Amino acid sequence: MPDTFLIHAALAGIGLMIAAGPLGAFVVWRRMAYMGDATAHAALLGVALALLSDLPVALGTALVALVMAALVTLLSSRDRSGDTILGVLAHSALAVGLVAVSFAPEVRSDLSSFLFGDILTVTVADLLWIWGGSAVVFALLVWRWNPLLTATVNEELAQAAGLDPRRERLVLTVALALVVAVAIKIVGALLISAMLIVPAAAARSFARTPEAMAAMAVLIGCVAVLAGLWGSLTFDTPAGPSIVVAAAAIFAASLGFRQRAR
Amino acid sequence: MPLIEAQGLSVRRGDNTILTGVNFTIAPGEIVTILGPNGSGKSTLIRALIGLERPSAGAVRHRAGLRIGYVPQRLHLDAALPMTVRRFLSLPHRVSDAAAAAVLARTGVADLGGRQVVALSGGQLQRVLLARALLAEPQVLILDEPTQGLDQPGEAAFYQLLEEVRAETGTAVIMVSHDLHVVMRASDRVVCLNGHVCCEGTPEIVSEAPEYRALFGLGTGGTLALYRHTHGPDHVHDGCAHDHDHAHAHAHGPEAADA
């Protein structure tokens, strides 16, 4: 029987992937990678602000992530080629977060856990928050699945069918902010978008429909979590980055699969 | 009331006026082609008729409960998005396998259900897009340059299909084209656009050009466009003259066949 901390860690990672798998698929399909970065980096600012104002960390993270995601959504929907401005935002958010953190001594002493996650110290309370947040995001995506997919395929097609692409963007914005708030404890602000993008990108090789790709992303993410934890214990490496390394390895292998499938 | 009616429709984008004072109606079962050179506002008019574009003046009215089937000019799927034709037909509303198979058979692509959308040829994709639009049982089909990128036999076959669908379902059709062949083939009415409506009218059979029959293999179906000019006293003429000459030059002689 593995230790409790390990079981908690595995449950936390799997809980995250239930939301990050399908959301990550949309991030890949809609080319929102920078938006994921900007939102995740802003989460660090959220942590600092929450600690300075005695708010719960999860709440502060979620609020600041939501503001950032909304800002990025607004900018990117106005100008589809706003790649530069997104890059500016993503990196500025990180820098502002790091500066803000210097005013919060509690975070300062433990900065790396917010940058790279601290999955091995997940508590039962953390688990409840992670699974609760993930369940909300999962339910949101399932509920809006077909409208989201239609707006992703072609916004005019969606509008002609009476859908409002702005509303679907809002759904993704909220989902992204929630996932970031859930994931910061697990993989940290720097690697959250990796857990969105890498499993979904790996899943592409094995899928013929959007639903299959989302499901495969969840599965690949869970395998990466377990493999990463195992590697972390075996080689005494940091857990969060080890999980992302495992996911990246699966992605590399998936490319070989795609080559042969063709 | 017509299915869609636009009155005094103007659309601006920033400082540019794209459409000025356009009046447009479409009746049930009618096939109308909007014709004009690049940049004449054809796609903008289509978008405004659907409700995707906000008028800066005038209004667009839909008959209550109007069902529109929209076929976009292009469908660029990201290669990262896996999508079979069958799955695509279930956007935005899920449809039964039987309905999907029937509509694919109707549009002549019965065996494509399992194919990836990104792997389709231009002609196949147009038929799949049409199939998806038909699943909504539309009262009006709206197609933005539906035969762009098709060769002439492919184009002719697609318009033939549209006419058959209209005959079977009674749907009205609004098409956009910059290609005079469309006008000659399959329209009840043609609206010539260049920022405003230059002229509109019913194409009448004026000739049975052998070149068209050879091209389309349609016997008596090869018709040439004839515009009835409807310039009113309040009509704006700037920018129209060139377009008229262009249309007439092509429409009045059989030598236009290979243009």
Side-chain angles (χ1 to χ4, degrees):
Chain A
M1 187 73 185
D3 292 314
T4 314
F5 80 91
L6 207 53
I7 293 173
H8 283 181
L11 285 176
I14 290 167
L16 168 65
M17 282 317 301
I18 286 171
L23 181 61
F26 276 108
V27 170
V28 168
W29 296 333
R30 298 173 72 104
R31 307 193 172 204
M32 292 162 54
Y34 255 138
M35 182 168 165
D37 272 340
T39 308
H41 292 172
L44 191 65
L45 179 63
V47 170
L49 292 179
L51 289 172
L52 288 169
S53 60
D54 283 330
L55 279 173
V57 170
L59 184 66
T61 318
L63 284 179
V64 175
L66 192 60
V67 169
M68 183 53 128
L71 185 65
V72 172
T73 303
L74 197 71
L75 288 171
S76 62
S77 60
R78 194 174 294 171
D79 178 13
R80 275 245 169 226
S81 64
D83 191 53
T84 308
I85 191 79
L86 288 186
V88 169
L89 269 178
H91 299 296
S92 310
L94 182 62
V96 171
L98 288 168
V99 169
V101 155
S102 70
F103 294 106
E106 309 94 306
V107 192
R108 201 173 190 176
S109 61
D110 197 17
L111 184 59
S112 79
S113 78
F114 289 104
L115 288 177
F116 304 111
D118 202 2
I119 194 173
L120 298 178
T121 64
V122 164
T123 63
V124 173
D126 290 332
L127 275 181
L128 287 176
W129 159 243
I130 289 167
W131 277 81
S134 272
V136 168
V137 169
F138 185 79
L140 190 64
L141 292 179
V142 168
W143 173 50
R144 300 304 304 170
W145 187 263
N146 241 5
L148 275 171
L149 206 52
T150 308
T152 300
V153 163
N154 187 300
E155 293 211 337
E156 292 181 351
L157 214 78
Q159 278 177 297
L163 300 170
D164 184 355
R166 284 172 307 177
R167 187 176 54 194
E168 308 313 328
R169 276 201 289 269
L170 181 68
V171 168
L172 289 177
T173 304
V174 171
L176 185 62
L178 261 177
V179 163
V180 163
V182 161
I184 191 162
K185 175 81 180 174
I186 301 173
V187 286
L190 288 184
L191 294 173
I192 290 171
S193 48
M195 289 313 284
L196 287 169
I197 294 163
V198 181
R204 174 64 186 94
S205 302
F206 308 106
R208 289 180 48 76
T209 63
E211 290 76 16
M213 180 162 154
M216 278 305 292
V218 174
L219 189 68
I220 289 170
C222 289
V223 170
V225 165
L226 297 177
L229 286 174
W230 172 83
S232 169
L233 283 186
T234 309
F235 306 111
D236 194 24
T237 50
S242 301
I243 291 171
V244 175
V245 167
I250 298 173
F251 172 74
S254 80
L255 290 182
F257 179 88
R258 202 189 300 196
Q259 288 297 319
R260 257 193 304 170
R262 274 178 190 171
Chain B
M1 171 180 178
L3 296 171
I4 301 178
E5 182 173 28
Q7 277 181 338
L9 174 70
S10 297
V11 176
R12 295 173 147 276
R13 204 171 287 144
D15 292 337
N16 295 325
T17 303
I18 297 168
L19 293 175
T20 311
V22 172
N23 296 324
F24 180 90
T25 61
I26 181 152
E30 203 181 11
I31 298 187
V32 175
T33 296
I34 300 167
L35 183 74
N38 286 334
S40 58
K42 304 184 297 280
S43 291
T44 303
L45 176 57
I46 287 270
R47 289 171 51 82
L49 292 176
I50 296 171
L52 307 184
E53 201 85 48
R54 192 196 301 264
S56 55
V60 173
R61 271 186 290 278
H62 289 180
R63 184 187 275 191
L66 180 71
R67 291 187 307 274
I68 296 176
Y70 176 53
V71 177
Q73 188 172 16
R74 274 186 311 239
L75 184 81
H76 180 73
L77 280 194
D78 196 297
L81 176 56
M83 180 74 74
T84 60
V85 168
R86 171 65 188 89
R87 180 65 187 88
F88 177 71
L89 293 180
S90 277
L91 293 176
H93 303 294
R94 300 214 177 255
V95 296
S96 69
D97 284 343
V103 80
L104 286 178
R106 182 64 202 89
T107 54
V109 285
D111 49 345
L112 292 185
R115 291 273 291 280
Q116 288 288 312
V117 172
V118 287
L120 299 179
S121 72
Q124 290 169 333
L125 181 60
Q126 278 308 332
R127 283 161 186 263
V128 168
L129 287 171
L130 177 63
R132 196 208 63 90
L134 288 173
L135 282 167
E137 297 183 350
Q139 291 151 306
V140 55
L141 269 175
I142 300 185
L143 304 93
D144 195 349
E145 305 224 13
T147 61
Q148 214 177 34
L150 300 193
D151 58 14
Q152 281 179 336
E155 200 176 9
F158 189 80
Y159 289 120
Q160 177 96 53
L161 173 62
L162 271 183
E163 286 184 283
E164 288 169 17
V165 164
R166 192 259 302 252
E168 286 164 25
T169 66
T171 183
V173 179
I174 303 174
M175 295 186 278
V176 154
S177 180
H178 62 243
D179 185 346
L180 283 162
H181 290 287
V182 174
V183 184
M184 296 162 195
R185 269 294 291 121
S187 312
D188 298 324
R189 192 151 56 85
V190 176
V191 175
C192 189
L193 194 72
N194 196 8
H196 53 278
V197 176
C198 293
C199 47
E200 74 177 283
T202 317
E204 297 166 20
I205 299 173
V206 289
S207 160
E208 285 191 19
E211 287 89 339
Y212 289 109
R213 294 164 69 175
L215 267 179
F216 298 117
L218 292 169
T220 56
T223 62
L224 289 175
L226 178 67
Y227 303 124
R228 187 178 68 240
H229 292 226
T230 54
H231 287 180
D234 57 344
H235 197 84
V236 190
H237 279 271
D238 55 326
C240 242
H242 165 78
D243 217 38
H244 273 203
D245 296 344
H246 183 73
H248 286 295
H250 283 75
H252 282 205
E255 73 275 9
D258 2 68

